[in-house]
């Protein structure tokens, strides 16, 4: 994955790669420390049920409090910016050095 990431950055002069994905992609990028920034959007709509978390655990479970942290975590983030629009909150974090 690191070689592919370097190739993508070399192709784009500014080195900016924007990825949109779910827990699987985010976990993979964060575990390999390829995540420079994370933008979270918090919706004003709450939903329930069993589903994936932001970062996947090493053990599948539908029970609260029974998942384990994946290797390489926690990953420390620093808040860089916060914005709101129509009830949504957007937070941009940078990976701490």
């Amino acid at each position: 994955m690191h070689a592919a990431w370097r190739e993508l950055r070399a192709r784009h002069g500014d080195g900016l790669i924007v990825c949109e994905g779910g827990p699987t992609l985010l976990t993979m990028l964060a575990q390999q420390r390829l995540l420079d920034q994370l933008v979270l959007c918090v919706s004003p709509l709450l939903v329930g049920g069993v589903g994936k978390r932001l970062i996947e655990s090493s053990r599948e479970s539908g029970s609260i409090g029974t998942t384990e942290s994946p290797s390489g975590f926690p990953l420390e983030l620093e808040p860089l910016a916060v914005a709101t629009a129509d009830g949504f909150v957007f937070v941009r974090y940078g990976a701490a050095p």
Side-chain angles (χ1 to χ4, degrees), residues 61-97:
S61 174
S63 302
I64 294 174
T66 60
T67 58
E68 299 170 358
S69 293
S71 63
F73 290 93
L75 175 62
E76 190 174 341
L77 302 173
E78 301 175 337
L80 301 175
V82 178
T84 61
D86 299 323
F88 290 84
V89 179
F90 303 89
V91 184
R92 184 168 52 100
Y93 291 97

Side-chain angles (χ1 to χ4, degrees), residues 1-81:
M1 178 110 185
H2 284 276
W5 209 252
R6 281 192 300 273
E7 182 180 336
L8 280 172
R9 284 194 169 177
R11 285 186 192 179
H12 302 281
D14 61 6
L16 179 65
I17 303 169
V18 177
C19 294
E20 291 187 23
T24 301
L25 178 61
L26 180 57
T27 300
M28 185 173 53
L29 293 174
Q31 278 181 322
Q32 296 186 29
R33 299 302 193 252
L34 296 172
L35 184 68
D36 296 324
Q37 291 188 8
L38 173 67
V39 177
L40 292 179
C41 173
V42 181
S43 169
L45 176 66
L46 293 177
V47 295
V50 176
K52 291 187 174 185
R53 290 182 165 86
L54 188 59
I55 298 292
E56 293 182 333
S57 67
S58 59
R59 176 176 58 184
E60 294 296 322
S61 174
S63 302
I64 294 174
T66 60
T67 58
E68 299 170 358
S69 293
S71 63
F73 290 93
L75 175 62
E76 190 174 341
L77 302 173
E78 301 175 337
L80 301 175

